[in-house]
Every structure is written in structure tokens, then in C-alpha cells.
Amino acid sequence: MKTIVSVVSTLMQNRTSRTNLLALMKLVLVLVLLITAYSITFHMLMEREGQHHSWVTGFYWTLTVMSTLGFGDITFESDAGRIFSILVMVSGVIFLLVILPFTFIEFFYAPWMKAQESAKAPIELPEGTSGHVIFTNYGPVTSMLIRMLEENDIGYVVLVPSVEKALDMRDKNIPVVCGDPSDPKTYTRVGVEKAAMVVTTLDDVTNTNVTFTVRELTERVPIIASATAEQIRDALELAGVTHILRLEEIMGQALARRVIGNDAEAHVIGELKGLIIAEASPAKTPLVGKTIAESGLRGTTGVTVVGIWTRGRFEPVEPDTRIGEHTVLVLAGSQEHFDRYNEVYGKHVAEDERLKVVIVGGGRVGRATSRALTEAGIPWTIIEKLPERVRHIENAIIGDAADFEVLVEAGLQEAASVIVTTHDDETNVFLTIFYRRLRNGLQIISRCTHESKASRLHRAGADLTLSYASMGANTIFNHIRGSDTVLLAEGINIFKVNAPRALAGKTLMETAVRSRTGCSIIAVERDGERVVNPDPDILLPEDGALVLIGSLEAEKNFRAAFPCQDS
């Protein structure tokens, strides 16, 4: 009974459903009047023929003829009566077998079934839900971030405006609530005041409205909002946003950092209270061809190699890991250490040796990449099909990036690298194959929107790929985890824990943390002092803290191996 009431309530809340139901009632009324008129006419014609029947018989005859059952137990003897019978039968076929069923299904049955489905769509979270993340959009970034939240046992819910999408996502076991993302009632139903964060990645105008709506209800909950234009920043800040997410800028800077042969300096990609993490390309430096042990980086500069990027994957390093020309080093150290590193290795590429980069795609990511390359002093050219995207860019070429003449004009034959930045993964795969066939030695860096396409791009010939979804998810997750954790844009996780008792009194070498968990200890804190890049023979404190670096899986392994520490 409760279900029927909820379905009827949902049905009657829709204005179109109410209008359709009224039209159906009018049609039924016309049918009742028609049956009554036929019954009266039946009596009149039967009286003329000398036959006497009750009014019940009149209605009975009318319905059997209109429904084409035609029992034949009551018949007219005159031609006028038989003509009337034909009229009743034809109108019955039209009304009872065509118009009424179609109208019933269209105006009542279909809306009723839809209302039943709508009644099943969740419109609120269970009472007492807290510490959850509220999403206003489900896309590649949200999908990637949800996997991270599930791995860390953090609750979440996705707001969707349509019942159909809510039911579809519910069938995929994704917690959803159906509601307007700009309606305060929606956020009340999902317990926004007890939430850990609100993440909105819709269009700029809607993101501003969402931020303003949430701030009407609570000032405490952090809000992360994406922005595609710099001018929207002021509106979001006035609405009360906590963090503004410019994924295009983050992606552009990351793509520009990966250009080899142009810049050997270390570029900062993350920091945790004075501990700096940076990337550096070893191409055209004496480091190429050497192992980590042979490089002597730690003794020469003070920095520690905590990992390398190889074909888009982060890998921990061992002393015998060899540094290749296409390897990207992930380094940890203090500012003093990196100043020394840049002094020793950053000058191996002279300004006049820096080769041009071709950027394919003049969208937001492509333009952000060009700005990052300009800041690094690296020459570049953009290829773009749509003139309006690059109207104010001088060194832009309008044309198809698969046209050989356009590529020659852009200088692809002399370029050191090509960066593919279009938002379509299939196009990026096609262009990667094409460029690899044209020049086998060309460095190809490609953006991919979906994480699943990265392996295809590598098979197509890309040297490096950066996932838009992964980068966005990592950036947001970094804010969710708080100040003692830094999840860098490319997926390296820096986290801080109190020193486990199981490791107290042991040297760094004796703990074998890296081989056991995949994490590397990059700093040790004790008595308020931090030792960055500790020596292998340092004794780990009992009451201090450790700063480690590794993937999310490596962090999980560490916490499982040493469950007694308090983070």
C-alpha cells in the first residue's frame, strides 16, 4: 500500500502526467456517454420492432457489439436496426480497440510505470551518514576518484538530475541520489552539513550556483569546483569556493615538463612541509646510461631518486636501476639540494640547443601547454583546425594535424617532441601511430582522457601518456586526505605516519621497507627536526615520524605491514 501511495504521489507531482490523466478521463467520459446513447437508441429501435428488453439488456447488447464479441442472442430484424448495429460495431472497434488502449497506455500506463521507477530512485541518504564526499557529476575524473575513495573506505554519493540516470547508476552499485544540484533541498537530503567535501565538476555557471547553494546551508564543508576560464575564478570565490580546480593548467604544465632534450633542470611537482618532490629529464646529461648507484646523485647533490617514470608508469628504483634517455627521474630533497642539482646538471642544455616542440590541438590543454613551454623558454608551434581557438596566437597553424603539408609547415621534421592534446582518445591514438611512422626517433607525448586508453597509446608508439582522469582525481584526493598527505598529480603518494614501534631502533637499511612494501622513507622526524634523505645507517626513532613516498597500493601495503602506527 505504501508503494502504491508513493507511486501515485510521484505521478501526480508531474504536471504533464496530471494533464494526460485529465485527457484520459475526458475520453472515458465520452465513451460512457456514447454507450448510454447507443443503449437508448437500442430500446427505441427494438420497440419499433415490437421487442421489449430491460435497460440492463440494452447496455449488455451495446457492450457486446462494441467489443465485437457478438454473442448473437439479441438481434434486430429490420434493416434500420442492422445498420445501427454496424454503426455501433465500427465505433466500438475505433474506440475500444484503438483509441482507448492507445490512450490508456500513452497517458496512464507508461506514466504509471515511469512513476514506479521514479519511486525506486533514491532521493536521500540514510539518516546519520557523515564523512562522505558529495559529487555533482559522474565523469572520467569522478570515476577514477571513486576507486580511490573505495580503497580508503571513504563514503561518497553522486547527485544526478534524472531518474533514468539515477537508476542506471544504482544498477552499477554506485551510491546516487536523484535531485537538482542547484536546489538546497537536495543537499539537505544528502546531509551536506555532515559531509567531508563537495566536489562539483559541471560547467562554470552551474559550479558557481552549486557553491552558492551549499554555502547557504553550511560554511564548514570544503568545496572543490572546476573552472574552465580564469575569469570565473572571482565568481567562484565570491560564492564561497574552497579550492578551484584548473585541470587544463595542471595537465598543460605536466605535459610541458615531460619534454626531453630541452631542459635538464628539476621541476617541483609537490611539497610537504619543506620536503620537495621534483621531476627531471636526464637526457643530454652524463646521467644517461648509468645506474642509480653509479650516478652518485645523493653524494653530489643531496637529492634522492625515489622513483622513475617509464612509459607513463611510476616505478620504484633499486641501486642497479639504469637511467635511460627517455627516463624521467622523480627526486626528493630540500630546496638546497635542488639548487645544487640544477647547478650541476641543469646547464647541460644550452639555450641555442633547445629544439622546438609541436603541439597538436589548440584547446584549453594545448594553450596551457604552450604557456608552460613559453615560461621554460622552449619554442613551440600549435596545429589547430578551428581558427577561433588560436585567433590571438601568432605561431599557430590552421589545418589538419594528419596533413603532411601542415606538419612540414609546423616543423615536425626538425622538432624534438610532439605533444598531442586533443580531448578525443581515438584521435590521439591515430595521430600517435601516424607520427611514429613518420619519425621513429621523435618523442611523442600524449594526453588521454580515460585511464583505460593509456595502454593503447603506448602500443601505438607514445613515449609518455598522461591521464586527464587520473590527474584530476589525484588532485582532488590530495585535498580530501589533508595536510599530512600529498598525492601528486601523476599518482605518487607522499604520506606521513608516526614511527611504527616495529621499526624503532633499526637502521633504514635493516628495515627493508622498500622491498617489503614498495614505499621509500624519504624523511625522518624526531625532536622537532626533519632529516631529509636519511642515510641508510640512520636509526629510526621510537617517538618520531616518517615521511614515505609510493603509490596508493604501496601505502596500503605499508599500513598492512605495520598496523600499529598512528597516522
Side-chain angles (χ1 to χ4, degrees):
M1 186 65 184
K2 183 179 179 181
T3 303
I4 295 176
V5 171
S6 63
V7 171
V8 172
S9 176
T10 303
L11 182 64
M12 297 309 296
Q13 286 176 0
N14 189 294
R15 183 178 179 182
T16 303
S17 297
R18 293 197 301 269
T19 303
N20 291 344
L21 189 59
L22 181 61
L24 179 61
M25 293 298 101
K26 290 179 179 178
L27 183 64
V28 171
L29 178 61
V30 171
L31 181 61
V32 170
L33 294 175
L34 191 63
I35 292 173
T36 302
Y38 285 160
S39 298
I40 293 173
T41 306
F42 167 81
H43 275 281
M44 294 172 60
L45 290 175
M46 281 295 182
E47 290 292 334
R48 287 180 58 183
E49 293 183 2
Q51 300 186 50
H52 304 285
H53 298 283
S54 66
W55 284 103
V56 173
T57 303
F59 282 103
Y60 162 77
W61 178 89
T62 302
L63 289 174
T64 57
V65 174
M66 289 187 72
S67 62
T68 68
L69 293 176
F71 294 139
D73 53 343
I74 303 173
T75 59
F76 284 100
E77 297 178 355
S78 65
D79 289 340
R82 288 169 179 168
I83 292 173
F84 173 68
S85 298
I86 293 173
L87 173 64
V88 174
M89 183 171 57
V90 171
S91 63
V93 168
I94 295 174
F95 254 90
L96 293 180
L97 301 184
V98 180
I99 295 179
L100 186 61
F102 176 81
T103 306
F104 177 79
I105 293 173
E106 180 71 17
F107 288 172
F108 184 78
Y109 181 74
W112 174 270
M113 295 302 295
K114 187 175 180 180
Q116 274 192 312
E117 291 296 314
S118 299
K120 295 178 182 178
I123 60 172
E124 62 183 356
L125 289 180
E127 190 174 349
T129 302
S130 63
H132 54 295
V133 179
I134 301 172
F135 298 103
T136 63
N137 181 42
Y138 185 78
V141 174
T142 306
S143 176
M144 185 80 180
L145 183 55
I146 282 175
R147 294 205 298 270
M148 296 180 180
L149 295 178
E150 290 176 345
E151 289 177 0
N152 288 269
D153 298 321
I154 300 175
Y156 64 91
V157 65
V158 181
L159 300 181
V160 290
S162 67
V163 173
E164 292 80 5
K165 190 172 182 180
L167 294 173
D168 180 62
M169 292 176 64
R170 188 196 62 176
D171 292 340
K172 296 177 182 177
N173 295 321
I174 299 174
V176 296
V177 164
C178 187
D180 183 356
S182 298
D183 186 353
K185 294 180 181 178
T186 300
Y187 295 98
T188 300
R189 293 197 298 263
V190 296
V192 68
E193 294 184 355
K194 298 180 181 179
M197 181 172 289
V198 175
V199 179
T200 176
T201 53
L202 298 164
D203 61 88
D204 291 343
V205 174
T206 305
N207 288 343
T208 305
N209 290 335
V210 168
T211 302
F212 181 77
T213 301
V214 173
R215 280 291 171 257
E216 283 185 311
L217 300 173
T218 175
E219 293 290 334
R220 181 193 64 82
V221 177
I223 303 173
I224 292 182
S226 63
T228 58
E230 181 64 29
Q231 55 269 29
I232 203 66
R233 179 182 294 273
D234 292 340
L236 284 169
E237 289 178 348
L238 289 173
V241 73
T242 308
H243 303 286
I244 297 176
L245 195 62
R246 295 294 307 277
L247 286 180
E248 292 80 8
E249 294 295 327
I250 296 172
M251 175 64 76
Q253 292 170 7
L255 290 170
R257 280 200 310 267
R258 299 307 179 85
V259 175
I260 66 168
N262 284 295
D263 185 359
E265 293 186 356
H267 297 275
V268 177
I269 57 175
E271 184 175 357
L272 181 63
K273 298 179 180 178
L275 177 64
I276 297 173
I277 306 298
E279 289 179 344
S281 170
K284 294 189 178 181
T285 71
L287 297 173
V288 175
K290 295 181 178 179
T291 65
I292 300 298
E294 293 170 347
S295 69
L297 276 172
R298 183 185 178 86
T300 306
T301 65
V303 301
T304 297
V305 182
V306 295
I308 59 173
W309 283 101
T310 303
R311 297 184 69 81
R313 294 180 59 188
F314 175 74
E315 299 177 356
V317 294
E318 299 295 338
D320 58 350
T321 300
R322 195 164 297 278
I323 301 172
E325 183 178 2
H326 289 269
T327 300
V328 177
L329 303 176
V330 181
L331 309 171
S334 64
Q335 185 61 55
E336 180 183 352
H337 295 151
F338 283 108
D339 290 341
R340 178 60 179 161
Y341 178 90
N342 290 334
E343 182 181 344
V344 175
Y345 296 104
K347 305 302 181 184
H348 278 82
V349 180
E351 290 290 337
D352 55 359
E353 293 180 0
R354 297 191 173 188
L355 300 177
K356 187 170 68 172
V357 175
V358 175
I359 303 171
V360 176
R364 289 191 293 266
V365 173
R367 296 194 297 271
T369 304
S370 68
R371 289 192 292 271
L373 290 174
T374 299
E375 292 177 2
I378 300 173
W380 51 268
T381 299
I382 283 184
I383 301 176
E384 171 56 46
K385 275 186 178 181
L386 304 176
E388 59 269 20
R389 286 185 173 179
V390 292
R391 184 176 292 112
H392 304 294
I393 300 177
E394 293 182 2
N395 46 338
I397 296 175
I398 308 301
D400 190 338
D403 188 329
F404 186 74
E405 293 183 0
V406 172
L407 296 175
V408 171
E409 184 181 356
L412 185 68
Q413 292 176 312
E414 300 82 25
S417 307
V418 59
I419 303 177
V420 185
T421 69
T422 80
H423 69 279
D424 185 79
D425 289 340
E426 296 300 327
T427 300
N428 294 347
V429 171
F430 164 72
L431 292 175
T432 298
I433 296 172
F434 183 56
Y435 298 151
R436 182 56 70 207
R437 296 296 184 273
L438 285 178
R439 279 188 61 192
N440 189 48
L442 178 69
Q443 184 196 25
I444 303 176
I445 304 171
S446 180
R447 159 203 176 176
C448 65
T449 300
H450 297 85
E451 183 76 17
S452 59
K453 302 294 183 179
S455 58
R456 285 188 60 193
L457 282 163
H458 285 307
R459 292 197 302 271
D463 296 296
L464 289 167
T465 61
L466 292 178
S467 166
Y468 189 86
S470 177
M471 191 164 294
N474 292 343
T475 303
I476 297 171
F477 191 73
N478 184 37
H479 291 294
I480 294 173
R481 289 287 296 269
S483 60
D484 283 342
T485 301
V486 175
L487 188 61
L488 303 178
E490 287 80 8
I492 311 170
N493 189 30
I494 307 173
F495 60 101
K496 179 181 176 181
V497 298
N498 289 340
R501 292 183 180 179
L503 300 180
K506 296 183 179 180
T507 66
L508 190 60
M509 183 179 297
E510 290 173 340
T511 62
V513 168
R514 180 181 295 180
S515 60
R516 292 175 63 182
T517 67
C519 294
S520 298
I521 298 176
I522 55 178
V524 176
E525 294 183 1
R526 55 184 170 186
D527 300 328
E529 295 184 359
R530 172 179 286 177
V531 180
V532 178
N533 297 333
D535 293 325
D537 57 354
I538 188 174
L539 291 176
L540 299 184
E542 182 176 353
D543 299 325
L546 306 178
V547 180
L548 302 97
I549 185 170
S551 64
L552 285 174
E553 182 179 358
E555 179 189 352
K556 199 171 183 179
N557 292 339
F558 180 87
R559 295 186 185 277
F562 307 103
C564 296
Q565 82 277 2
D566 297 320
S567 56

